[in-house]
Amino acid sequence: MSFISLSSQDIEQLTQQLIAQGTIVDPQSAKGRLLKQAAQLFKTQGFQRTTVRDIAREVGIQSGSLFHHYPSKQAILRSVVEETIQLNLEIMKQSLVLNDGVREKLLALIVCELQSVLVDTGSEMVVLVYEWRGLNEENQAEILSLRNTYEQLWLDILGQAYAQQMTSVEPAILRRLLTGAISWTINWYKPDGGLSLIELAEIVLSMALNKTQA
């Protein structure tokens, strides 16, 4: 079996569908630009240290105008995290549909997550991993429920790989290891460094699988 990846056109079409459904905001809209700038600030400064004034300054609006889009900084953080999960969850689902074998499905998940970290939603993914605890209790509960859906896609495929003895590492542990390895690539990977994203994904896959399966 050969691996099939989503094209940039596929991802754009899926993104537009989610925008039309109201699942995510248009990244080119005022609200979308606000979320992008907020995510960058939350990544570099941390949620707690970032002020509404900081966000407004980056967007180029008055602080009071920001509240026409979102009622609070808390609401902005929730939207950043929620929309990031929703978008990447749908991309992962579509990529899984395109691939049949367990190896190919696992590679698909790795490619999708690397793409989200290194190309499409890098700042947002960092916020998701490190800043989600800034959410209040109610928002945390809802985001954790959504994140569990995202993680279950991984655990289902890793469970299949484990059952077929393609890997000797238990799914929950392997997922944690992969999360760390993939999220850390944002600190060192260079798109023009001679290693393509697909090649990097294959390396990550080889780390996850037994040598006879990699």
Side-chain angles (χ1 to χ4, degrees), residues 197-210:
L197 190 143
I198 295 294
E199 290 171 335
L200 176 58
E202 288 280 5
I203 292 172
V204 175
L205 181 67
S206 70
M207 294 167 57
L209 299 181
N210 295 331

Side-chain angles (χ1 to χ4, degrees), residues 97-160:
V97 168
L98 291 178
N99 292 279
D100 294 322
V102 174
R103 184 189 186 280
E104 288 70 29
K105 286 181 180 293
L106 181 53
L107 180 58
L109 293 180
I110 294 170
V111 169
C112 287
E113 196 151 281
L114 284 172
Q115 179 85 14
S116 69
V117 169
L118 299 173
V119 181
D120 298 327
T121 54
S123 295
E124 292 86 345
M125 288 295 286
V126 171
V127 173
L128 172 60
V129 173
Y130 296 107
E131 298 297 328
W132 68 272
R133 291 178 180 82
L135 294 168
N136 61 34
E137 186 174 346
E138 179 183 355
N139 284 333
Q140 277 195 24
E142 295 188 18
I143 292 301
L144 284 174
S145 177
L146 186 58
R147 194 175 72 172
N148 286 343
T149 302
Y150 177 97
E151 290 298 320
Q152 194 59 49
L153 288 182
W154 278 91
L155 294 175
D156 287 345
I157 302 304
L158 292 173
Q160 293 176 37

Side-chain angles (χ1 to χ4, degrees), residues 37-51:
Q37 292 296 334
Q40 182 62 34
L41 287 170
F42 294 159
K43 171 192 169 185
T44 56
Q45 299 181 182
F47 172 71
Q48 297 296 343
R49 291 187 295 276
T50 299
T51 66

